[in-house]
Structure formats: C-alpha cells, structure tokens
Amino acid sequence: MLARKTLHAHSRIWLRLNRPQSQSQTTTTRHPIRCSSTLVVPFTADRYHVRRENFAKVTADDAKVFREIVGDHGVITDAADLEGFNVDWLKICRGQSKVVLRPKTTQQVSDILRYCNDRKLAVCPQGGNTGLVGGSVPVFDEVVLSMGLMNRIVSLDPMSGVLITEAGAVLETLENYASERGRVVPLDLGAKGSCHIGGNVATNAGGLRLLRFGSLHSNVLGLETVLADGTILPFGSNMRKDNTGYHLHHLFIGSEGTLGVVTQVALLCPPKPTAVSVCYLGLNSFEDVLKCYKEAGDSLNDIISAFEFLDNSCYQVSCEKHKILPPLNPFPFYVLMEVSGWSPKAQSERLDSLLERLMSSGLVADGVVADEPSKIRTFWEIREGVAEALTRRGYVYKYDLSIPKREMYSLVKTSESVWAARSTSAAVTAIWVTNNLHLNVLTSDYFPEVTKRLEPYIFEWTSQHKGSVSAAHGLGFKKRNAIKYSQSPTAIALMKKLKQL
Amino acid sequence: MLARKTLHAHSRIWLRLNRPQSQSQTTTTRHPIRCSSTLVVPFTADRYHVRRENFAKVTADDAKVFREIVGDHGVITDAADLEGFNVDWLKICRGQSKVVLRPKTTQQVSDILRYCNDRKLAVCPQGGNTGLVGGSVPVFDEVVLSMGLMNRIVSLDPMSGVLITEAGAVLETLENYASERGRVVPLDLGAKGSCHIGGNVATNAGGLRLLRFGSLHSNVLGLETVLADGTILPFGSNMRKDNTGYHLHHLFIGSEGTLGVVTQVALLCPPKPTAVSVCYLGLNSFEDVLKCYKEAGDSLNDIISAFEFLDNSCYQVSCEKHKILPPLNPFPFYVLMEVSGWSPKAQSERLDSLLERLMSSGLVADGVVADEPSKIRTFWEIREGVAEALTRRGYVYKYDLSIPKREMYSLVKTSESVWAARSTSAAVTAIWVTNNLHLNVLTSDYFPEVTKRLEPYIFEWTSQHKGSVSAAHGLGFKKRNAIKYSQSPTAIALMKKLKQL
C-alpha cells in the first residue's frame, strides 16, 4: 500500500503550503458585506424595471412608533448606515429603504410586524445579508427588519445535542460554541462569518456538510416564528420525534421570509468528528470525475463528508484572489474530497488505499492530502472563496442548479456558444454529491442582452433534465419568475394559497 | 482487551440461541392484519361515543360510478372481505364501511376523490392498516381507499440512490429491492411485512433506523399526491437540493391523510452497511441505562445505529409469545444496541472495548453480542415483537411519548399508583436515542374508568416535561383530542386553516 507520507510527497507543491496561516485571508475573518467596493450599484428598481406595489410609505409618525417599540438605538435612518442593509453581497441589487429596525426580542418583532401589517408598510426581514439572489435586501423602500441583535444562544443540551438559539446568531459563533462542547453545527458555508442561523433556516441553506448530516429539514427540530400579522407561533416540542399534527416548522424552512420571521431555532447538533482529512485531486476529464465519484462512494461512503468539483477557472481565480499557492498544478478539473470520523487510523488507511488505486489507474492525475487543521482550512478556502473571487471580476450571472450527475457538465459543454460573446467566460463549481451545479457566467458589466441569451435557455435546459433552477440559493428577487421551471402550476397555486393564510 | 469470543461466551445462554431460524416466527413472515382473533371488536362509534358528521351515504349509484372508475375487481363490498379493512391491527377500533376501493393508478385516485368530494362522501385512505392510533380504519361508514394495488417500484438510480415507487409498495418489498442493489431503505419497523411506504410517509413513521439515517423529512425527496378535490400535485424535482418555493412535500409527511393521498414517493436510499453487530445488555437500574448511553454515545457515535431500551415485562412477554429463548437471564432493564458500518474490524474492536469497559465497571451486568444475520434478526424480533405480544394479553392502553431522556422513566416510576387497579400492569420500551417512550398499560378488557385515570394525567405530565404526546404513531382517531398538549392554540388554528385550503 502507498504510505500516507508518499501521497503527501507525491505533489511537491504541497510543501509550499506549509506557511503561516496569516498569509492568507481566512473565511473566519471575512465579513463580506462590510467590504468596500468601488462599483456603484444601480437601484434594483431601475436595473430590472420592476414597479412598486401599492404599499404605504414610512412617515415621521411611523418612525416615532418604531422608536417606542425598539428604542432609539434600534432604529437606523442615517443614509450612510443604511447602505449596508440596502445593497446585497454580490453588489447587484440595491434597495432604497429609509429605515432599518433592530429588535431585541420576539415581542418586539411581533409588535413591528403587527404595526406594519395594519399600516400596510412592506417589510424586508434580513439576516446576515449574504444571500445570492437579492432576497435579503429591499427592492424598493421596504422597512428592513434586521435580526442581528437577537443573537443570544439559549442552551445546548449535552445529552441530546439540541441547540436552542435566537435567529440572529451568526453561524460561525454557533459553530465555535458547539465545537467547544464536542458538537458540530450540521451546516457550514462560505458565508458563515456573517450569515445568521435564522437566515439559513429561512433559505434552507445547504452548504458543505449536507452530505454527512442532511439538510435543515433533518436537523431543525423546532422554530419560533412570527407571522406577518404579528402572531407569535411558538416552538412545538423540540423533540426528535413529534407526530402531533402538521409539521409546521418545515413549511418555514426555505420560505424565504414570505410566511413569517424566524425568531428562535432548535437545531440538532451531532457529535463532532475527531479526525478529518481533505484531499485535492487533479483530473483530466469530466468522465474521470464521474468514475472517481463512483469509486469513492463505494469505498468511503460512511466516512466521506464532502465531494466537491471545481473547474480550472474557479480554482485559479480563487487561489489568486485569496493569495493561496495552488496546491496542484493546473488541471481541467479538481475534486475536493473530505473524510471525517472517529477512527483516524482505519479512516486514513481507507483513504490512502482509494487514492493509490485512483492514481495508479490514471483516473486521478495528481493529488495532495491534508490532515492538519490549518491546511484543511486553506483547502476549503479555495472552494469557499470562489464566489467572492468571481464577484470582484465584474458582473456575475449566477446559476445555482440541481442537475443529475451524468448531465452536470453537459450544460456547460454544449452551451458555451450561448454566452460566447461580450468577452464572457464561464466558471463552474459543484457540490457534487448533492447534484448542485454552480454556474457563473462573467462579463465586464451587466448587459441585459446577455441575460436574454442565458434565460430562459438555462432554466429550460434544467427543467428538461428534471433538475431544479434553484438548488440552494432560493428564489429571492432574481429567480422569482423561474419557479415555473421547477414547480407545477398546481404546486404554485397551492403555494399562493398558503401565502395568503 | 477482552476478546470478542470471550464476550460471546460471557453469557452461556447465548449458545442456546444457535438453533434453526424456523423455530421462531420471523418478522418478515408476519402479516398482522390477517391474524384471526377470538375477540369481538366493538364498533368505534359505540365504544368511544362519537357522532357521525353530516356526510352522504354510499348508494347503489355511487357503487356503479366506482365500478366505472376502478373496474369490478377494484370494488369490495362483501361483508367478510370488508372486515380486514374495518378493524385496526390492535383490534381496538372497528369501522362500518360498506365499500373498499382499490385504485391502480393516480388518475383513478383522482377520479375517486373528485367524485366523493362532489358527493360529500367521507373517505378513509388506507395503507397496510398497521397503525396504532385508529387512524387507518374508518370511524363510521367512510369509503375506504386502499392503496394496496398501487405497489409498482418505478426505479432506483444507482448513482444517486433515489428510489421512486408507488405508495402502496410494502416496506419490506422495497427493503429487499434496495438491498439487492447495495442500498438500504432508510426506515425499518416491526410492521414492515405489511405497512406501505405511502402510509409510512403519511404518518411520518420513524422506526429503527432513524438514529442513523434521519427521519422521512431527511429522506423523502418528493411526493406525488392527490388532494381531496382530486387535484393531482405532481413531484417537484426529486433532487436532494431544490429551493424553489415552499417545500410542500414536507407538509404531507405526517399529515395522516388529512390533506390528500400520497400516490408516489421519491426516497433517498443510502448505501447499505456491510457489517452489523447487535448486542443485548442487562442492567440493574435506570440510572445505569443513562450512564451506559452516555458512554456508548461518546465511544461509538458514528457507528451506533440503534440504542433501544426495554423493561423486563416487555422482554419476557415478547420472548414468550414469539417462542424465543431469552438471550439473557432476567434483569430489570435491557438495552439493545446496534452498530453498523463498512469497517468490520475497527467496528468490532470499538464495540468490544466499550462492552469490556461497561462490564468491568459494573454498569452492565451481563451481555451478548450477535454478528450473524439470523441471530441479529432474533435479537430484533424480541424488540419488534413487543407490541404484538402485549396485544394478545388483553386491552392495551398505548402511549407513544417523546420525553427528555433523564425524565423518561420517572413517568413510569412516579405514577404506578395511577394504574394500580383492575389488575393492570405496565410495560415499557423506548427508542432511547430519539427519546421515544412506549408506555403500555395492560388490562383484561377495555374499562372507560382506566382511561379516565390515565388521561389527561399522562398527557399533562408529558406536556409539563416539554415532551410530545405522540412521538411516532400520530394522532389518528384515538389521540385526536390530545394535540393541545403538544401544540399551541396558534399552531392548531394554523393547521385548521391549512386543512381548509
């Protein structure tokens, strides 16, 4: 058997990765929405030609009531301070809200919503504002309900692993809290330094641990929510098993703030694996990626916790932006694979034995393995940093699709001609195991005619291949009209009725 | 380290278990609803004093229409044939339906429901009729919509593990189908030889694999359903990630047939573990069970796939009924623990090392381990056979509760006086890891005053301890009024609105 050390040495570039962590930006210190940008983001209403509905406008009297509810410190009206709440992380959407409210209690959320409902003021609930579909910022002058001050962690039961937290807690804070107690928060994503657990629930965020721990539908045991009319809908039992009536909290998972505001979350946190290894593999063809996945799945299915796919554009752009020395020389495709568990020795042996097989058969052209936390972090940073790196290059037409694995790359291959104009380029990553293809088409600026060339082409292609036009990011503002490509008219009609409840 | 062989030998009784499988009834050949019984089950309407609502009655004209929809063979009206559809598995509830319909296609289900809706005929959808809360049989003379003929398995994708099947497929048939293809159906329960996957979904069945694979909310990727007015609500994308609109299928999981009828299911089937071991442990106190769980959780958390708890009554009654030689001498409490995975050697070593520790510290008084499939089956049979064994002893007041682990047994301990009359006895099992306590109170026959002594006492106690009054079985007929102990008035009001959609 090829020894672990030999595998490390296989790629000489590996050695150069042994540098102080501080040389690269880490995910944990990035706070995307606070980044300054030289781009001026046009108003959403102007860029996308949408018309405001007949909602009331915030008056001085309203502001007075808001101050009574949340206090002076809970009301933001200063133009400079409003900026970060009006512009989305991708710098594509800009709302025109004149007031941001920052409640500290569920009762305050209820009072705000009841008042706004009575006054017919539109409300935009906002978590960490890290969404990618323009769903977390106002489109017009909605009242922004920012959940950032409701960030108290209530409890973590050591026996059951159930974490109860307010919705505004930052994901990374929860992760650290759970980790110190031998538990792991069952979702993880690039935006964890800013995103809120409430926003994660509202958008059914998937992220990097879905393969191992399942979706939020598996792990959210209960929610406290406030409906649009101010009604507080408290937790059910927070038990793993509760079959008393409809499982209402599942309706709020992924509802993107359209049914109510999540104020507290009960989340099942599994025990934290004690041994983790991550490897980067370089591959020459998409066909090889498919075969590599089959082999890895067969050999490692109980310990594999991530299998991600990047093309060379994403890999290079991310390494460059985040000042990371590429762990491998250029290849057309890369796979990032993680294994984790509690039997370090058996786990390493199985991973090494698989990698040896993959490399001697030629399926994998080159590879490096990391066992040490700081190196693992760097490996993940390349993957997690793709979105940010691309955004800095111009306008990104982002598509977040679920597509059957065999077909995943054919969308990119067969349709390059569609976007081969305006000096655009395409960059692709995929959360492979969950069939989630992230297709990014880059241009120097926003051109409506590029949108027309891409849509509905991509949506129709996805629909024909029985995929989903929004795998993870949700519909938000930008994909709101694409729902018909993934849902039947009957289902959409039922959703509309639900919304009216 | 204590060798595996020594552990086997530790309990001499183990050796006596090495007998031909045929000496005991196996779960896989039991078909509970076909058992004959000498007990005459009173009509539900009489026993529980409930009044029929103002629905129409089935006429000869209706029967003619039904024959046009499903053909002569799809309509059952013969009294003897109706019996099995009117009486529940526990022999506690008896409906008075005069007609059972057996559709073969989704369109037929739709035609039936549309017609019944227009005619104001009440309908009772029925799967395998293995439910324990009287939810699967008619209360009065509802039209029974039996799904048994819609049992076609459509496909199992080898790459993704997504199984698509009609709702009337029997769970065990699916299990065998998946197993032959290296996959495992992510739920398993005692009734698998009869229950339908559609019924499992409608009742959010939990079962024996929940700990490892999560609930149906984790594993059901899509549903085809038919609403009460006959509208067919087709699948969404069946992808693991699909964030386009509300996640409607989660609303149907656990809705117990009140929102519509499940006609097809897309179910994620994980790879099948290749190595399984099961052990029975004898313990002297509930405190020891708690400690044993903590130790097992810490040591085996990635490979543990079941941790079940039985008291001596359940254990003895089940062994006796199913003619199984008890694997251990009598103890006040037993734990059945299963580990499964793909690293047989590492797995065995970890289990043995834990058991050695538990036994040398005195936490576990005695124990036996089984690695061989037929022995594993026998071990499970003791646990799975409890419900049937108890039922044969008289009337069972069944409570299926979620209770925080530390409090689980105090309900039994502190309230024995409540049922210490009418020569009753209590028997307890628990799916430990999911906090699911099954409390069975036995009497020679049904006595309304025993119900009055038990209820609302047990429900109130559970509610005070923040548990759920129906962890797994659902509300059905028998627990329909107990919902208020686990759900807020606001939540119940919202459920009622949803039902009216």
Side-chain angles (χ1 to χ4, degrees):
Chain A
M1 194 209 287
L2 191 62
R4 194 154 191 78
K5 219 171 151 190
T6 322
L7 261 172
H8 282 190
H10 187 92
S11 168
R12 296 299 164 195
I13 293 168
W14 167 252
L15 300 171
R16 279 187 273 149
L17 267 174
N18 296 321
R19 68 196 194 292
Q21 185 58 29
S22 60
Q23 287 191 8
S24 78
Q25 278 190 293
T26 68
T27 307
T28 53
T29 55
R30 266 189 273 139
H31 287 275
I33 62 161
R34 303 290 165 237
C35 293
S36 66
S37 166
T38 52
L39 286 169
V40 176
V41 184
F43 286 130
T44 301
D46 299 339
R47 177 179 260 178
Y48 296 102
H49 307 292
V50 280
R51 191 170 298 175
R52 189 178 182 283
E53 284 184 48
N54 192 25
F55 290 102
K57 295 202 171 198
V58 176
T59 64
D61 282 351
D62 296 326
K64 207 180 138 204
V65 173
F66 292 147
R67 286 202 169 80
E68 280 162 18
I69 297 173
V70 291
D72 286 348
H73 291 296
V75 181
I76 298 174
T77 51
D78 180 81
D81 294 341
L82 289 171
E83 176 75 1
F85 298 92
N86 269 319
V87 179
D88 76 335
W89 182 78
L90 284 174
K91 313 275 183 222
I92 284 179
C93 292
R94 178 195 292 274
Q96 306 169 49
S97 180
K98 301 288 185 290
V99 60
V100 172
L101 303 180
R102 311 190 79 196
K104 284 187 174 170
T105 66
T106 300
Q107 190 55 53
Q108 289 179 358
V109 173
S110 167
D111 291 345
I112 291 167
L113 290 181
R114 180 171 291 113
Y115 179 80
C116 290
N117 195 50
D118 291 346
R119 271 276 294 131
K120 292 204 191 310
L121 286 165
V123 175
C124 171
Q126 189 176 89
N129 193 12
T130 59
L132 301 174
V133 286
S136 56
V137 286
V139 178
F140 305 100
D141 58 344
E142 296 92 305
V143 172
V144 174
L145 183 69
S146 172
M147 297 299 289
L149 298 184
M150 285 188 67
N151 59 359
R152 191 172 58 96
I153 299 173
V154 179
S155 61
L156 196 163
D157 181 65
M159 186 74 96
S160 65
V162 177
L163 172 76
I164 298 189
T165 175
E166 288 185 343
V170 169
L171 183 58
E172 192 173 41
T173 309
L174 296 179
E175 183 174 291
N176 294 337
Y177 183 89
S179 177
E180 286 160 14
R181 288 153 182 83
R183 296 275 170 175
V184 62
V185 173
L187 81 160
D188 186 15
L189 53 161
K192 66 182 164 192
S194 303
C195 66
H196 295 181
I197 188 67
N200 297 146
V201 169
T203 56
N204 187 31
L208 313 167
R209 289 185 186 142
L210 193 136
L211 168 59
R212 185 61 170 272
F213 298 117
S215 78
L216 285 174
H217 284 290
S218 317
N219 296 304
V220 171
L221 301 187
L223 294 177
E224 180 195 71
T225 54
V226 183
L227 307 184
D229 65 358
T231 304
I232 297 172
L233 196 65
F235 280 123
S237 72
N238 295 341
M239 288 283 163
R240 256 181 108 166
K241 289 168 83 171
D242 178 12
N243 271 339
T244 54
Y246 305 146
H247 301 191
L248 291 178
H249 66 271
H250 289 282
L251 200 52
F252 287 86
I253 297 174
S255 66
E256 302 188 38
T258 60
L259 296 177
V261 176
V262 175
T263 47
Q264 275 202 31
V265 179
L267 189 68
L268 186 67
C269 294
K272 189 184 174 186
T274 51
V276 181
S277 300
V278 175
C279 59
Y280 256 102
L281 310 176
L283 299 98
N284 285 314
S285 74
F286 181 76
E287 204 52 43
D288 287 350
V289 177
L290 274 173
K291 287 180 191 156
C292 174
Y293 170 69
K294 181 81 177 70
E295 294 258 345
D298 288 349
S299 308
L300 308 177
N301 57 55
D302 56 325
I303 52 170
I304 196 166
S305 47
F307 190 103
E308 307 254 334
F309 159 78
L310 295 86
D311 69 2
N312 194 36
S313 324
C314 288
Y315 177 82
Q316 299 299 344
V317 166
S318 183
C319 287
E320 193 181 311
K321 164 71 188 75
H322 302 297
K323 301 189 178 62
I324 298 169
L325 278 172
L328 292 175
N329 285 328
F331 287 96
F333 302 105
Y334 301 86
V335 161
L336 181 158
M337 183 163 67
E338 185 186 87
V339 294
S340 56
W342 287 262
S343 308
K345 197 163 155 282
Q347 190 171 301
S348 289
E349 281 169 12
R350 287 168 66 192
L351 178 61
D352 291 356
S353 144
L354 169 74
L355 293 180
E356 186 185 23
R357 231 170 38 245
L358 292 174
M359 292 179 79
S360 58
S361 72
L363 270 186
V364 165
D366 201 356
V368 283
V369 182
D371 302 308
E372 205 255 303
S374 75
K375 288 173 203 157
I376 288 174
R377 213 152 45 229
T378 306
F379 275 19
W380 270 112
E381 210 187 330
I382 301 173
R383 167 63 186 88
E384 293 180 17
V386 169
E388 189 187 357
L390 290 171
T391 303
R392 303 305 172 99
R393 300 228 156 182
Y395 189 93
V396 182
Y397 300 80
K398 275 193 110 60
Y399 298 94
D400 155 46
L401 313 163
S402 272
I403 298 176
K405 286 186 186 66
R406 281 180 208 82
E407 319 283 355
M408 265 178 140
Y409 206 65
S410 48
L411 170 63
V412 186
K413 272 197 303 188
T414 62
S415 54
E416 268 164 355
S417 62
V418 174
W419 52 73
R422 286 271 186 192
S423 24
T424 56
S425 66
V428 171
T429 57
I431 303 172
W432 182 259
V433 186
T434 50
N435 299 359
N436 187 181
L437 183 81
H438 292 278
L439 170 62
N440 300 280
V441 179
L442 291 162
T443 55
S444 58
D445 204 342
Y446 174 72
F447 302 110
E449 69 267 32
V450 175
T451 305
K452 279 188 196 132
R453 228 175 299 145
L454 294 169
E455 298 171 21
Y457 174 82
I458 288 175
F459 298 144
E460 284 172 355
W461 191 96
T462 303
S463 183
Q464 279 155 18
H465 290 78
K466 297 192 177 170
S468 165
V469 297
S470 185
H473 299 165
L475 295 169
F477 168 75
K478 289 195 292 172
K479 300 286 188 295
R480 69 198 186 288
N481 295 323
I483 187 172
K484 63 176 181 240
Y485 296 103
S486 291
Q487 299 287 347
S488 67
T490 325
I492 295 170
L494 188 57
M495 290 178 200
K496 283 183 178 162
K497 279 195 204 167
L498 279 170
K499 167 77 181 116
Q500 284 155 15
L501 273 186
Chain B
M1 193 209 286
L2 191 62
R4 195 155 192 77
K5 221 172 151 188
T6 322
L7 261 172
H8 282 190
H10 186 92
S11 168
R12 295 299 165 196
I13 293 168
W14 168 251
L15 300 171
R16 279 187 273 149
L17 267 174
N18 296 320
R19 68 195 194 293
Q21 185 58 30
S22 60
Q23 288 191 8
S24 78
Q25 279 190 292
T26 68
T27 307
T28 53
T29 55
R30 266 189 273 139
H31 287 275
I33 62 161
R34 302 290 165 239
C35 293
S36 66
S37 166
T38 52
L39 286 169
V40 177
V41 184
F43 286 130
T44 301
D46 299 339
R47 177 180 260 179
Y48 296 102
H49 307 292
V50 280
R51 191 169 298 175
R52 189 178 182 282
E53 284 184 48
N54 192 25
F55 289 102
K57 295 201 171 198
V58 176
T59 64
D61 281 351
D62 296 326
K64 207 180 137 202
V65 174
F66 292 147
R67 286 201 170 80
E68 280 163 17
I69 297 173
V70 292
D72 287 347
H73 291 295
V75 181
I76 298 174
T77 52
D78 181 81
D81 294 341
L82 290 170
E83 176 76 1
F85 298 93
N86 269 319
V87 179
D88 76 334
W89 182 78
L90 284 174
K91 313 276 182 221
I92 284 179
C93 293
R94 179 195 292 275
Q96 306 169 49
S97 181
K98 301 288 184 291
V99 60
V100 172
L101 303 180
R102 311 189 78 197
K104 284 187 176 172
T105 65
T106 300
Q107 190 56 53
Q108 289 179 358
V109 173
S110 167
D111 292 345
I112 291 167
L113 290 181
R114 180 171 291 115
Y115 180 80
C116 290
N117 195 50
D118 292 345
R119 271 275 294 131
K120 292 204 191 311
L121 287 165
V123 175
C124 171
Q126 188 176 89
N129 194 12
T130 59
L132 301 174
V133 286
S136 56
V137 287
V139 178
F140 305 100
D141 57 344
E142 296 93 306
V143 173
V144 173
L145 183 69
S146 171
M147 298 299 289
L149 298 184
M150 285 188 66
N151 59 359
R152 192 172 58 96
I153 299 173
V154 179
S155 61
L156 196 163
D157 181 65
M159 187 74 96
S160 65
V162 177
L163 172 76
I164 298 189
T165 175
E166 288 185 343
V170 169
L171 183 58
E172 192 173 40
T173 308
L174 296 179
E175 183 174 291
N176 294 337
Y177 183 88
S179 177
E180 286 160 13
R181 288 154 182 83
R183 297 275 171 176
V184 61
V185 173
L187 81 160
D188 187 14
L189 53 160
K192 67 182 165 193
S194 303
C195 66
H196 295 181
I197 187 67
N200 297 146
V201 169
T203 56
N204 187 31
L208 314 168
R209 288 185 186 143
L210 193 136
L211 168 59
R212 184 61 170 272
F213 298 118
S215 78
L216 286 173
H217 284 290
S218 317
N219 296 304
V220 171
L221 301 187
L223 293 177
E224 180 194 71
T225 54
V226 183
L227 306 185
D229 65 358
T231 305
I232 298 171
L233 196 65
F235 280 123
S237 72
N238 295 341
M239 288 284 162
R240 257 181 107 165
K241 289 168 83 170
D242 178 12
N243 271 339
T244 55
Y246 305 146
H247 301 191
L248 291 179
H249 66 272
H250 289 282
L251 199 52
F252 287 86
I253 298 174
S255 65
E256 302 188 38
T258 60
L259 296 176
V261 176
V262 175
T263 47
Q264 275 202 32
V265 179
L267 188 68
L268 186 67
C269 294
K272 189 184 174 186
T274 51
V276 181
S277 300
V278 174
C279 59
Y280 256 102
L281 310 175
L283 299 98
N284 285 314
S285 74
F286 181 76
E287 204 52 43
D288 287 350
V289 177
L290 274 172
K291 287 180 191 157
C292 174
Y293 170 68
K294 181 82 177 71
E295 293 258 345
D298 288 350
S299 308
L300 308 177
N301 57 55
D302 56 326
I303 53 170
I304 196 166
S305 47
F307 189 103
E308 307 255 334
F309 159 78
L310 296 85
D311 69 3
N312 194 36
S313 324
C314 288
Y315 177 82
Q316 300 298 344
V317 166
S318 183
C319 287
E320 192 181 311
K321 164 71 187 77
H322 302 297
K323 301 189 177 61
I324 297 169
L325 278 173
L328 292 176
N329 285 328
F331 287 96
F333 303 104
Y334 302 86
V335 161
L336 182 158
M337 183 163 67
E338 185 186 87
V339 294
S340 56
W342 287 262
S343 307
K345 197 163 155 283
Q347 190 171 301
S348 289
E349 281 169 11
R350 287 168 66 192
L351 178 61
D352 291 355
S353 144
L354 169 74
L355 293 180
E356 186 185 24
R357 230 170 38 244
L358 291 174
M359 292 179 79
S360 58
S361 72
L363 269 186
V364 165
D366 201 356
V368 283
V369 182
D371 302 309
E372 205 255 303
S374 75
K375 288 172 204 157
I376 288 175
R377 213 152 45 229
T378 306
F379 275 19
W380 270 113
E381 210 185 331
I382 301 173
R383 166 63 186 89
E384 293 180 16
V386 169
E388 189 187 357
L390 291 171
T391 303
R392 303 305 172 100
R393 300 227 156 184
Y395 189 93
V396 182
Y397 300 80
K398 276 193 110 59
Y399 298 93
D400 154 47
L401 313 163
S402 272
I403 298 176
K405 286 186 186 66
R406 282 180 207 82
E407 318 283 354
M408 265 178 141
Y409 205 65
S410 47
L411 170 63
V412 186
K413 272 196 302 189
T414 62
S415 53
E416 268 164 355
S417 62
V418 174
W419 52 74
R422 286 271 187 192
S423 26
T424 56
S425 67
V428 171
T429 56
I431 304 172
W432 182 259
V433 186
T434 50
N435 298 359
N436 186 181
L437 183 81
H438 292 279
L439 169 62
N440 301 280
V441 179
L442 291 162
T443 55
S444 58
D445 204 342
Y446 174 72
F447 302 110
E449 69 267 32
V450 175
T451 305
K452 279 188 196 132
R453 228 176 299 145
L454 295 169
E455 298 170 20
Y457 174 82
I458 288 175
F459 298 144
E460 284 172 354
W461 191 96
T462 303
S463 183
Q464 279 155 18
H465 290 78
K466 298 193 177 170
S468 164
V469 297
S470 185
H473 299 165
L475 295 170
F477 168 75
K478 289 195 292 172
K479 300 287 189 294
R480 69 198 185 287
N481 296 323
I483 186 172
K484 62 177 181 239
Y485 297 102
S486 291
Q487 299 287 346
S488 67
T490 325
I492 296 171
L494 189 57
M495 290 178 200
K496 283 183 178 164
K497 279 195 205 168
L498 279 170
K499 167 76 181 119
Q500 283 155 15
L501 272 186

